[in-house]
Amino acid sequence: MQLALSLAKQGIGKTSPNPAVGAVVVKNGRIVGKGYHKKAGFPHAEINALKQAGKKANGAEMHITLEPCNHFGRTPPCTDAIIKSGIKKVFVGMEDPNPLVSGNGMRRLRNAGIKVRAGILEKECKEINQAYIKYITTKTPFVTLKLAATLDGKIATLSGESKWITGETARKFAHKMRAEADAVMAGIGTVLADDPELTVRLVKGENPVKIVVDSRLRIPLIAKVFNAGRGKVMIVTTRERREARGKRRKIKKIEAKGAEVWMLPSKKKEVDLTVLVKKLGKREITNLIIEGGSTLAGSAMKQGIVDKIAIFFAPKILGKEGLPMIGGLGIRRLKDAICLSRLECRKLGDDLLLEGYLKP
């Protein structure tokens, strides 16, 4: 199952809206086939492993990180292929939360006389598919708030200078996170201050959808996010009536650059992020990274759309003059503080990466 997990990880960021899955076929203690799901619409992990195993699959056992599907989607049911191959025993990492599968795949195998054991390295299997699990059960993306800050929690100097707070190793890891996500989101403040590309230029992989939250539609038409051939671009603004005429003119210019503009309801003159994530879910965006700035980070936390926080801490201090990494949350009592669980810390060059999940 550990090998199946390592295979599954190769598909992270490429299979959306499908899960990342790995499979290994073993006969008489020897690996005779292995595979992973490479892309939505392509053969599933089980099919790739069975193809490699060939006739050796007859009488063998299979180790799969996720329960095999038992329905027709973009591809035929994997359970049929497993039964036809002659596999005698199947080890499953985790049950598929998809209502179309959820227990039915394993039931189908058992009814065909195949022994099935589930829950092997279940925690690890769920971890690599946390975005899929959130999406398939809520139809909204898994949201990670990513921040780069000094040790005293500042993301920029008072003048707005923020390049580069962290070192190259941390920045490369951040680009790897982008490559594994479906979309990356930034606020207009960050775009105006830093003019980011929001690409994966430091690592191999496909650029995510680039989303800019811009309530007043202030984005410059020469912003780097519009660079052709570097991923889809969405500009999200509000439906303010008094600004409608001016916005329509700006929208036409933005759309002429190949970008999409969404006008959404506002919440205290800011984009309603709860509405936004629901719309992104309908676009089959399962994994979203929010990359500041301070205002957007605060809004995302207040509106309750964040699942996980990843903070890159640089060994620097700016003092009270610096810009805080998260805008005002309106918290006055310690008992109302937003708390994190399952904290993990790792060193990336001279920087530290702290990751944690928001408690309900």
Side-chain angles (χ1 to χ4, degrees), residues 219-229 231 233 250-260:
I219 189 166
L221 296 174
I222 59 172
K224 289 180 181 177
V225 292
F226 292 124
N227 287 349
V233 182
K250 183 75 174 281
I251 286 171
K252 288 182 180 179
K253 293 179 181 179
I254 291 172
E255 290 175 339
K257 299 185 77 67
E260 209 175 330

Side-chain angles (χ1 to χ4, degrees), residues 129-288:
N129 276 313
Q130 58 188 2
Y132 168 75
I133 294 170
K134 168 83 181 293
Y135 170 74
I136 209 67
T137 55
T138 68
K139 296 303 177 186
T140 58
F142 183 90
V143 180
T144 301
L145 175 60
K146 184 193 80 66
L147 301 162
T150 59
L151 289 178
D152 55 343
K154 303 300 190 294
I155 61 172
T157 64
L158 194 60
S159 64
E161 183 184 355
S162 62
K163 288 186 177 180
W164 298 100
I165 283 181
T166 54
E168 186 176 351
T169 303
R171 293 200 301 275
K172 191 172 182 179
F173 188 89
H175 281 221
K176 179 176 177 291
M177 290 176 63
R178 288 179 184 173
E180 293 178 350
D182 299 328
V184 58
M185 181 190 295
I188 185 59
T190 297
V191 173
L192 293 175
D194 298 340
D195 197 17
E197 293 184 35
L198 301 180
T199 61
V200 298
R201 61 192 179 279
L202 297 183
V203 298
K204 289 183 179 180
E206 292 186 16
N207 289 317
V209 174
K210 296 179 281 187
I211 303 169
V212 178
V213 177
D214 184 4
S215 299
R216 289 184 285 157
L217 215 58
R218 293 182 291 156
I219 189 166
L221 296 174
I222 59 172
K224 289 180 181 177
V225 292
F226 292 124
N227 287 349
R230 297 195 177 180
K232 295 179 181 178
V233 182
M234 293 180 186
I235 310 301
V236 184
T237 190
T238 56
R239 298 177 186 150
E240 296 292 340
R241 287 186 179 180
R242 67 176 184 273
E243 301 173 354
R245 185 177 296 177
K247 279 188 174 181
R248 282 197 292 268
R249 289 195 293 266
K250 183 75 174 281
I251 286 171
K252 288 182 180 179
K253 293 179 181 179
I254 291 172
E255 290 175 339
K257 299 185 77 67
E260 209 175 330
V261 179
W262 288 1
M263 296 185 75
L264 300 184
S266 62
K267 182 174 284 188
K268 294 183 179 179
K269 296 184 179 181
E270 296 178 352
V271 171
D272 190 329
L273 299 178
T274 59
V275 173
L276 175 54
V277 293
K278 288 177 182 176
K279 276 186 69 75
L280 292 175
K282 290 179 180 178
R283 285 289 187 93
E284 295 189 331
I285 287 177
T286 67
N287 191 355
L288 169 67

Side-chain angles (χ1 to χ4, degrees), residues 305-317:
I305 67 165
V306 178
D307 297 293
K308 181 181 180 180
I309 294 183
I311 307 175
F312 294 84
F313 281 110
K316 300 170 184 176
I317 295 174

